[in-house]
């Protein structure tokens, strides 16, 4: 009956105590775990806070270092840009000097070539390959060589200016990028946890774009700096070269110009001396011609003067040939008259021979006079060409230091 009265769904008191103990133990265990979790959470919060602050501080320091590094390289680029711009401006003045020098060579060359053309108008014996012509040809050769050298140097200068501008462009682009990067990093450095309008940027963690390593970043700027330095050094060397060339060509042009002028002066003096000697000879020939003309006149008069004596003698002989009979005697008178006629006739022939010779000499003197007069005209023509056309034209030659 007792078994029948017991409810099979009821638990034993011991189970009740056990269940309570288990609840207590479970609760205390849960509480303990919760307390540990709270303690661990506070420790974790504190640890993460410190880590976050340290990390943010490190980032700030690195950001500051990066800003200083950018500023340093930006200053380097600014310096190199200023230098390359300065060198390019100076090189442009050197280019202008080369252009003026090149232009300044054209007139002397034209004058030298005109002198050569003018001197082709010399005639006769004066059309000679003399010292003046040799020096003029050398002057043309020197000037053409100088023009070719200046042309090559001008091309080299233009190429160097182009390279300088290329280096300047690279510096400008690098500086522009550095300025943008510095502006961005300045903005980043100004951000704090309390800055308003800061946002989540989930995509910021994606490494998109062409990121470069710090070494590549430095190398890139170094290349631009080294390129600018190289072009600046090349510009300095080119300027020294141009200075040397301009100085040398001015000296060469002056030296050759003076050589030509000296040759002209010497040649003009030689021609004047030759002309003076020819004029002296001409005066002598003209004096001799006058004397010969007087001599011919005297010979003619002498021949004429002998006509009367020969007529007298021949008239006497003719008259005595009419003597009668034995009176027609070949006496001493007749013999003397015969001798007289023969003598006078012979002397007249001698005078005629002398007259013919004198006339021949007079013709020779006339030919000599014409020859001398023509030669003097040749010398006058040469003097006009050398002294008037060429030397006066060369007075306008001005060789400057460029």
């Amino acid at each position: 009956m007792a078994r029948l009265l017991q409810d099979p769904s009821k638990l034993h008191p011991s189970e009740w105590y056990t269940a309570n103990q288990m609840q207590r133990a479970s609760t205390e265990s849960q509480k303990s775990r919760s307390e540990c979790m709270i303690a661990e959470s506070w420790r974790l919060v504190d640890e993460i806070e410190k880590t976050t602050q340290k990390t943010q501080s490190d980032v700030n320091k690195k950001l500051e270092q990066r800003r200083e590094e950018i500023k340093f390289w930006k200053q380097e680029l600014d310096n190199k840009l200023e230098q390359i711009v300065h060198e390019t401006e100076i090189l442009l003045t050197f280019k202008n000097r080369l252009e003026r020098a090149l232009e300044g060579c054209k007139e002397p060359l034209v004058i030298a070539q005109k002198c050569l053309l003018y001197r082709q108008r010399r005639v006769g014996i004066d059309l000679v390959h003399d010292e003046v012509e040799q020096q003029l040809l050398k002057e043309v050769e020197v000037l053409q060589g100088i023009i070719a050298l200046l042309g090559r140097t001008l091309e080299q200068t233009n190429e160097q200016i182009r390279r300088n501008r290329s280096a300047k462009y690279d510096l400008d682009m690098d500086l522009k990028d550095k300025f943008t990067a510095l502006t961005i990093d300045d903005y980043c450095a100004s951000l704090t946890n309390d800055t308003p309008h800061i946002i989540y940027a989930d995509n910021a963690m994606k490494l998109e774009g062409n990121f470069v390593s710090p070494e590549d970043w430095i190398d890139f700027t170094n290349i631009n700096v080294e390129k600018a330095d190289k072009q600046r050094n090349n510009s300095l060397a080119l300027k020294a070269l141009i200075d040397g060339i301009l100085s040398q060509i001015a000296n060469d042009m002056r030296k050759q110009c003076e050589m030509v002028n000296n040759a002209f002066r010497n040649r003009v003096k030689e021609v004047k001396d030759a002309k003076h000697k020819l004029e002296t000879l001409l005066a002598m020939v003209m004096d001799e011609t006058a004397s010969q003309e007087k001599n011919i006149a005297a010979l003619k008069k002498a021949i004429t003067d002998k006509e009367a004596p020969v007529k007298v003698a021949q008239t006497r002989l003719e008259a005595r040939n009419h003597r009668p009979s034995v009176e027609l005697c070949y006496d001493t008178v007749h013999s003397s008259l015969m001798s007289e006629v023969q003598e006078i006739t012979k002397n007249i022939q001698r005078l005629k021979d002398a007259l013919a010779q004198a006339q021949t000499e007079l013709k020779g003197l006339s030919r000599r006079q014409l020859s001398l007069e023509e030669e003097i005209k040749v010398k006058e023509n040469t003097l006009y060409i050398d002294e008037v056309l060429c030397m006066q034209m060369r007075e306008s030659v001005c060789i400057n230091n460029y």
Side-chain angles (χ1 to χ4, degrees), residues 306-323 333-334 337-338 340-341 344:
K306 296 302 176 286
E307 289 178 355
V310 77
K311 286 178 181 179
V312 170
Q314 287 180 350
T315 301
R316 284 175 177 175
L317 280 173
E318 177 63 24
R320 296 189 89 240
N321 283 333
H322 293 287
R323 287 174 297 166
V333 174
H334 201 88
L337 283 172
M338 290 287 290
E340 182 183 16
V341 170
I344 293 173

Side-chain angles (χ1 to χ4, degrees), residues 99-109 143 253 398 402:
E99 289 172 339
R100 287 189 289 113
L102 193 58
E103 188 66 27
C105 290
K106 292 180 180 178
E107 183 184 3
L109 178 59
L143 288 168
M253 288 172 67
C398 182
Y402 296 99

Side-chain angles (χ1 to χ4, degrees), residues 131-140 256 259-260 263:
E131 179 68 17
V132 175
E133 186 166 347
Q134 293 172 18
Q135 293 300 332
L136 279 170
L137 288 170
K138 185 177 179 182
E139 185 174 43
V140 169
Q256 188 56 37
M259 292 285 286
V260 173

Side-chain angles (χ1 to χ4, degrees), residues 115-137 263-264 266-268 270-271 274 375 378-379 381-383 385-386:
C115 286
L116 287 169
L117 288 174
Y118 284 148
R119 298 190 91 242
Q120 291 298 319
R121 301 179 188 175
R122 293 173 298 163
V123 294
I125 194 64
D126 277 20
L127 188 59
V128 60
H129 185 62
D130 54 9
E131 179 68 17
V132 175
E133 186 166 347
Q134 293 172 18
Q135 293 300 332
L136 279 170
L137 288 170
F264 263 117
N266 293 335
R267 186 59 177 164
V268 166
E270 287 177 354
V271 175
E375 195 61 30
V378 168
K379 297 295 182 284
N381 176 66
T382 300
L383 286 173
I385 290 170
D386 284 353

Side-chain angles (χ1 to χ4, degrees), residues 285-298:
V285 167
M286 292 180 73
D287 288 343
E288 189 62 27
T289 298
S291 298
Q292 195 62 259
E293 287 174 345
K294 289 179 182 179
N295 180 50
I296 289 171

Side-chain angles (χ1 to χ4, degrees), residues 137-160:
L137 288 170
K138 185 177 179 182
E139 185 174 43
V140 169
E141 182 182 354
V142 167
L143 288 168
Q144 288 175 338
I146 287 172
I147 288 172
L149 175 61
L150 289 173
R152 291 193 301 271
T153 308
L154 186 58
E155 289 178 2
Q156 188 178 351
T157 304
N158 285 329
E159 176 61 19
Q160 187 57 53

Side-chain angles (χ1 to χ4, degrees), residues 257-371:
C257 182
E258 189 57 31
M259 292 285 286
V260 173
N261 290 341
N262 283 336
F264 263 117
R265 285 191 287 267
N266 293 335
R267 186 59 177 164
V268 166
K269 183 177 181 301
E270 287 177 354
V271 175
K272 283 184 176 179
D273 289 343
K275 177 174 174 288
H276 177 70
K277 290 177 181 178
L278 290 171
E279 288 170 342
T280 301
L281 291 174
L282 178 62
M284 184 178 68
V285 167
M286 292 180 73
D287 288 343
E288 189 62 27
T289 298
S291 298
Q292 195 62 259
E293 287 174 345
K294 289 179 182 179
N295 180 50
I296 289 171
L299 287 170
K300 286 181 178 180
K301 184 177 183 302
I303 291 170
T304 303
D305 289 345
K306 296 302 176 286
E307 289 178 355
V310 77
K311 286 178 181 179
V312 170
Q314 287 180 350
T315 301
R316 284 175 177 175
L317 280 173
E318 177 63 24
R320 296 189 89 240
N321 283 333
H322 293 287
R323 287 174 297 166
S325 186
V326 75
E327 294 300 321
L328 187 62
C329 179
Y330 190 76
D331 52 12
T332 55
V333 174
H334 201 88
S335 175
S336 296
L337 283 172
M338 290 287 290
S339 297
E340 182 183 16
V341 170
Q342 290 174 353
E343 180 184 333
I344 293 173
T345 302
K346 182 179 179 181
N347 287 334
I348 288 173
Q349 186 59 47
R350 288 174 62 194
L351 287 171
K352 285 182 178 179
D353 290 343
L355 176 61
Q357 187 176 356
Q359 288 174 336
T360 300
E361 291 300 323
L362 181 62
K363 289 179 181 178
L365 288 170
S366 296
R367 286 194 297 270
R368 177 53 35 202
Q369 179 180 343
L370 288 173
S371 176

